[in-house]
Amino acid sequence: MAQQLTEILKYFLEDYIPGKKEENGKNAAVWKSICHEAPEKMYETGLIDKNKYLVSGSVGKGVWAKVPWLAVFRREITESAQKGVYIVYLLSSDGNSLYLTLNQGVTEAGKDSTANETIKALRNNAARISAQLNKHNFSLDETINLGNDITDLGKKYQKGTIF
């Protein structure tokens, strides 16, 4: 169980950055591993009930993501990284840090708002949610560092962090 999870996370840390540089197209080994194999391996750990949770990975659509992710969505809350609250591993743009976060969908939150309004709404929502939960020694802030060269979406992932 733990070994399978370690393999998944090790792949993120060691192979994503070099893999996206060497390979092109959606048949790339990195894309297959993160978007298809990693979710299946997460279910195989026995920690995640496939009926209650959806595991999904993303390396970007059309272009390689600066901040790839592997998320666990509770189906009754959301099945998309665009809205709701979910657990997600976020890899920094340089590939040196992998964060396990309780995060929130940033796409829907910023649909009709400026970047500053979206960030304020994300932080307010994070404060509201964290006030309802026992933090269990998790950090209660958005100080994860996904890199200096990240997109606006990556910046919102940072600010959307609850734990």
Side-chain angles (χ1 to χ4, degrees), residues 19-161:
K20 78 176 192 173
K21 289 178 183 174
E22 294 173 11
E23 302 180 48
N24 295 312
K26 293 299 183 182
N27 291 323
V30 169
W31 180 81
K32 283 182 186 176
S33 177
I34 293 171
C35 297
H36 295 289
E37 294 167 7
E40 284 306 312
K41 286 181 181 179
M42 291 287 282
Y43 291 125
E44 289 170 10
T45 66
L47 298 171
I48 299 171
D49 180 342
K50 203 171 194 174
N51 295 316
K52 290 183 181 179
Y53 299 94
L54 171 67
V55 180
S56 181
S58 178
V59 296
K61 292 184 179 181
V63 296
W64 291 103
K66 292 274 188 180
V67 180
W69 51 262
L70 181 64
V72 179
F73 305 109
R74 186 169 179 117
R75 292 182 188 275
E76 66 187 44
I77 296 172
T78 187
E79 291 188 4
S80 165
Q82 295 183 355
K83 61 183 179 179
V85 175
Y86 51 91
I87 297 168
V88 62
Y89 284 99
L90 298 168
L91 181 66
S92 63
S93 63
D94 63 7
N96 291 327
S97 300
L98 183 65
Y99 296 93
L100 173 61
T101 70
L102 178 63
N103 221 306
Q104 55 188 311
V106 299
T107 306
E108 289 291 317
K111 200 159 78 173
D112 297 320
S113 306
T114 66
N116 287 338
E117 290 170 337
T118 300
I119 288 170
K120 184 177 179 181
L122 290 169
R123 293 311 313 145
N124 287 340
N125 198 41
R128 181 185 59 76
I129 293 167
S130 64
Q132 299 172 24
L133 301 173
N134 185 335
K135 71 177 186 170
H136 293 290
N137 295 320
F138 285 100
S139 176
L140 288 173
D141 59 36
E142 79 281 10
T143 59
I144 66 173
N145 183 356
L146 296 174
N148 295 325
D149 62 340
I150 58 175
T151 62
D152 285 344
L153 187 60
K155 291 174 186 174
K156 289 175 186 174
Y157 289 156
Q158 290 178 149
K159 296 298 182 183
T161 300

